[in-house]
């Protein structure tokens, strides 16, 4: 098995998930995404989508996409449950994780690539520079909505620290590094971010 | 249990998944998304994200988000496996489903809402009308990439009909209805679309 790692929020998400679980990631190979190694062979033969992270399994298949890798880890080592210990708990975590991804992660990332990151990404994919500010604002809309949703609770999914927290944390940390700091009006999210950042896994 | 249904590709995806599985969806309530019933109470009390479909479980929790609902159904009734019969198979399906969603479904949907659908959506969420054409083109980029990836195979995940096929089918069918017909240069996807559309579940 091999874990393909790099800088950036997606690999961080998976490392943080592994750290919370105490799951030992296998041999790790670092891929230089700034230089674009991920968009060339040999990496493209492993993950034709050209993104990080990825995990090559014992059977030779390579699994990319953060949530797919985390789900696989949860199945290998169910404790502590970070997706869920029952079908209903897992469904609830997947729902909140997908909301975090579509309402915050997607526009935050697209806003970064089309804005501050345009030079790195312009030769890699189609961008939307005319909408960079609106995309960033859209991520802010998603966060304001989440801020209301978690009012009175400690975690994104009620009562449990899950993949949804980890996904949001990795991308809010990244956002703060690339000109998308959290709006302090989102007091619930700000407190949640501080609590989550105090977990040892946040250093992963 | 109750299933909240409406017009549109997301509910279609879940109905098609249920039909492939032979899983009987529970009592169904239709929500009129054209009139915006989904953005008002009482529906918002069930799904505060205001989207369809959703499934209220026996324990009172409501699960929204297509893939979360499909994963829950797969756990209730594993046969026939549409996500996978092993952890590695499930991981592979989740990877391809997420690629379909991020590379095709997201830009196709955003392009529709910000373009042809702007009147329906302008009071519901932040839009990107200045990028509508580029978003649609981005979905086309994703499809062209998928077209290469599936060269020589019958399904999105190699060797198995899965949730990834269902997700792509529901949104390409929708795209064709809203001014985003499939580019016939994508011959592999065109043949795949015809095969998939011939399955009885495509009428769900």
């Amino acid at each position: 098995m091999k874990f393909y790692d790099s800088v950036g929020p997606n690999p961080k998400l998976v490392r943080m998930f592994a750290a919370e679980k105490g799951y030992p990631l296998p041999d790790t190979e670092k891929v230089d995404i700034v230089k674009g190694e991920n968009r060339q062979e040999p990496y493209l033969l492993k993950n034709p989508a050209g993104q990080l992270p990825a995990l090559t399994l014992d059977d030779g298949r390579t699994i990319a996409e953060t949530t797919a890798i985390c789900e696989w880890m949860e199945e290998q080592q169910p404790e502590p449950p970070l997706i869920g210990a029952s079908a209903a708990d897992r469904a609830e975590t997947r729902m909140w994780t997908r909301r975090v991804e579509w309402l915050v992660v997607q526009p935050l990332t697209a806003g970064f690539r089309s804005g501050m990151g345009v030079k790195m990404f312009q030769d890699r994919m189609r961008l939307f520079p005319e909408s960079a500010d609106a995309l960033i604002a859209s991520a802010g809309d998603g966060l304001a909505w989440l801020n209301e949703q978690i009012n009175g609770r400690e975690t994104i999914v009620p009562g449990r620290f899950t993949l949804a927290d980890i996904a949001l944390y990795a991308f809010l940390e990244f956002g703060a590094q690339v000109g998308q700091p959290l709006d302090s009006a989102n007091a619930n999210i700000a407190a949640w971010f501080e609590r989550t950042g105090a977990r040892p896994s946040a250093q992963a």
Side-chain angles (χ1 to χ4, degrees), chain A:
Chain A
M1 282 183 40
K2 188 178 273 189
F3 181 61
Y4 295 90
D5 197 3
S6 73
V7 296
N10 284 300
K12 166 71 180 258
L13 187 167
V14 170
R15 291 195 309 270
M16 188 170 169
F17 187 93
E20 280 285 337
K21 220 168 233 305
Y23 183 85
L25 285 169
D27 273 0
T28 292
E29 182 171 321
K30 279 269 194 181
V31 178
D32 189 334
I33 60 172
V34 177
K35 286 191 188 152
E37 283 178 5
N38 53 315
R39 301 278 169 181
Q40 302 163 35
E41 295 190 3
Y43 184 72
L44 274 186
L45 298 173
K46 292 289 179 183
N47 178 8
Q51 296 178 305
L52 275 292
L55 181 69
T56 297
L57 304 183
D58 281 334
D59 71 3
R61 281 184 275 189
T62 295
I63 303 305
E65 306 297 324
T66 50
T67 48
I69 298 170
C70 292
E71 291 264 8
W72 184 88
M73 259 192 271
E74 177 98 347
E75 294 203 48
Q76 303 307 304
Q77 186 182 304
E79 295 295 327
L82 295 174
I83 296 174
S86 69
D89 278 2
R90 288 188 283 277
E92 193 180 29
T93 301
R94 289 166 182 149
M95 169 179 73
W96 281 105
T97 301
R98 196 166 184 276
R99 286 170 172 166
V100 163
E101 290 207 302
W102 282 68
L103 298 178
V104 179
V105 172
Q106 196 282 329
L108 184 156
T109 308
F112 165 67
R113 289 174 175 164
S114 292
M116 189 183 283
V118 73
K119 283 198 177 149
M120 178 169 169
F121 286 96
Q122 63 191 356
D123 297 327
R124 302 185 188 200
M125 61 186 69
R126 191 181 300 268
L127 298 176
F128 314 97
E130 64 286 356
S131 295
D133 292 344
L135 286 161
I136 292 169
S138 179
D141 297 340
L143 276 170
W145 180 81
L146 275 178
N147 188 66
E148 274 181 54
Q149 296 301 313
I150 68 165
N151 196 35
R153 66 196 205 223
E154 300 276 305
T155 47
I156 304 299
V157 173
R160 298 183 282 134
F161 183 84
T162 67
L163 174 57
D165 296 290
I166 295 170
L168 186 60
Y169 183 81
F171 280 87
L172 291 193
E173 180 188 58
F174 174 71
Q177 293 161 0
V178 295
Q180 299 186 46
L182 182 61
D183 180 347
S184 59
N186 296 319
N188 296 326
I189 295 284
W192 165 91
F193 186 78
E194 196 173 356
R195 275 195 308 276
T196 307
R199 299 175 80 100
S201 65
Q203 305 306 315

